[in-house]
């Protein structure tokens, strides 16, 4: 009798498809929703990661070239007059906004103080553009494992219900449900790990670039 039950369980397990697509299709509505949410978060996270990687690579290179050209120029005003109309680099935009304030100033009284306060505002403005998307990465990194865990708990609950209904404690009966549940946890980790690593890296890059803007602005203000 026991041998028959064992052979049936083995046969059931061998006939069950454990491919990722099959695990998704067999899952109930809640687990499917969790899986789709985690896949969407992962895709968008990678889009943000790729975009930020290209952004930091671009602005760091352009900023270095800008500083070299600036410090080799005859004067800040002549360099400002030769700037391209369409600027995208944060350092170049910071310089442009600062020079506009200097040239529009009717009096030199407290000019450095006014420029310093304006520079701080402009740095925050530029950094807010650069840091856009960081909150999403941090949110995915901190919540995705728990969302996946919720899907896992829900799937295991369904598996225990299957045991109660079928009155069969064989692992082969509940293996598909448990596999679906664990699939949700795996997706949660798959979404969270790259998001956390990318957030830490880009947050560090952002701090370095912010320091670059501050150092340039201090040197620039000192020569006005």
């Amino acid at each position: 009798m026991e041998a028959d039950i064992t052979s049936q369980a083995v046969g059931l397990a061998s006939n069950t498809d454990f491919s990722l697509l099959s695990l998704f299709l067999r899952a109930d509505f809640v687990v499917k929703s969790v899986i789709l949410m985690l896949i969407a978060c992962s895709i968008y996270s990678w889009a943000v990661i790729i975009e930020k990687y290209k952004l930091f690579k671009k602005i760091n290179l352009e900023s270095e070239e800008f500083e070299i050209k600036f410090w080799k120029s005859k004067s800040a005003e002549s360099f400002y007059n030769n700037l391209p109309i369409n600027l995208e680099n944060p350092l170049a935009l910071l310089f442009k906004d600062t020079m506009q304030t200097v040239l529009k100033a009717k009096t030199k009284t407290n000019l450095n103080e006014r420029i310093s306060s304006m520079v701080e505002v402009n740095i925050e403005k530029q950094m807010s553009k650069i840091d856009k998307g960081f909150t999403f990465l941090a949110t995915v990194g901190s919540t995705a494992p728990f969302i996946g865990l919720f899907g896992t708990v829900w799937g295991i609950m369904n598996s225990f219900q299957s045991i109660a209904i079928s009155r069969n404690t064989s692992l082969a009966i509940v293996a598909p449900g448990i596999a679906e549940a664990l699939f949700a946890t795996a997706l949660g980790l798959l979404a969270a790990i790259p998001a956390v690593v990318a957030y830490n890296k880009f947050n560090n890059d952002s701090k370095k670039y912010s320091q670059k803007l501050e150092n340039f602005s201090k040197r620039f203000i000192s020569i006005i």
Side-chain angles (χ1 to χ4, degrees):
M1 183 68 177
E2 292 181 357
D4 292 338
I5 294 175
T6 302
S7 62
Q8 290 176 3
V10 171
L12 180 61
S14 62
N15 292 329
T16 303
D17 186 3
F18 285 93
S19 65
L20 297 182
L21 180 60
S22 297
L23 290 177
F24 172 77
L25 294 176
R26 283 199 305 265
D28 70 349
F29 175 76
V30 174
V31 178
K32 282 182 179 177
S33 299
V34 169
I35 290 174
L36 290 175
M37 184 186 303
L38 291 173
I39 291 175
C41 289
S42 180
I43 292 173
Y44 191 77
S45 293
W46 277 106
V48 173
I49 290 170
I50 294 172
E51 189 270 332
K52 292 302 175 185
Y53 174 78
K54 292 180 179 179
L55 174 65
F56 278 108
K57 185 177 180 180
K58 179 182 178 182
I59 62 176
N60 283 323
L61 181 61
E62 290 180 349
S63 296
E64 290 179 5
E65 294 176 353
F66 177 84
E67 284 195 85
I68 293 173
K69 293 178 181 178
F70 174 76
W71 295 114
K72 288 183 178 180
S73 62
K74 295 180 180 179
S75 66
E77 186 171 352
S78 63
F79 186 77
Y80 168 78
N81 292 331
N82 293 323
L83 282 177
I85 298 176
N86 297 324
L87 291 175
E88 296 182 356
N89 184 263
L91 188 61
L93 290 172
L94 176 65
F95 167 75
K96 181 179 179 180
D97 293 340
T98 305
M99 279 301 301
Q100 288 176 347
T101 302
V102 173
L103 296 176
K104 291 179 181 178
K106 297 180 179 180
T107 175
K108 297 295 183 180
T109 306
N110 297 327
L111 180 60
N112 284 351
E113 294 181 4
R114 283 183 288 163
I115 292 176
S116 297
S117 61
M118 188 213 65
V119 164
E120 291 180 4
V121 173
N122 284 334
I123 290 177
E124 291 181 2
K125 178 182 177 182
Q126 297 301 327
M127 293 309 302
S128 65
K129 296 178 182 178
I130 294 174
D131 294 345
K132 186 178 180 181
F134 284 11
T135 302
F136 180 81
L137 291 178
T139 302
V140 171
S142 59
T143 61
F146 297 102
I147 296 174
L149 183 61
F150 169 75
T152 298
V153 172
W154 188 273
I156 291 176
M157 286 172 57
N158 290 337
S159 297
F160 281 124
Q161 288 177 358
S162 299
I163 293 176
I165 293 172
S166 64
R167 296 182 180 180
N168 190 336
T169 58
S170 172
L171 182 61
I173 300 297
V174 296
I178 294 176
E180 296 158 15
L182 294 176
F183 182 41
T185 297
L187 283 179
L189 295 175
L190 186 65
I193 293 173
V196 171
V197 173
Y199 173 78
N200 290 334
K201 180 187 184 305
F202 293 144
N203 189 48
N204 186 50
D205 292 342
S206 177
K207 290 179 180 178
K208 289 181 179 179
Y209 193 79
S210 178
Q211 188 63 46
K212 181 190 290 287
L213 293 179
E214 292 179 6
N215 292 338
F216 174 80
S217 62
K218 289 177 182 178
R219 293 175 63 191
F220 174 58
I221 293 174
S222 67
I223 65 174
I224 297 178

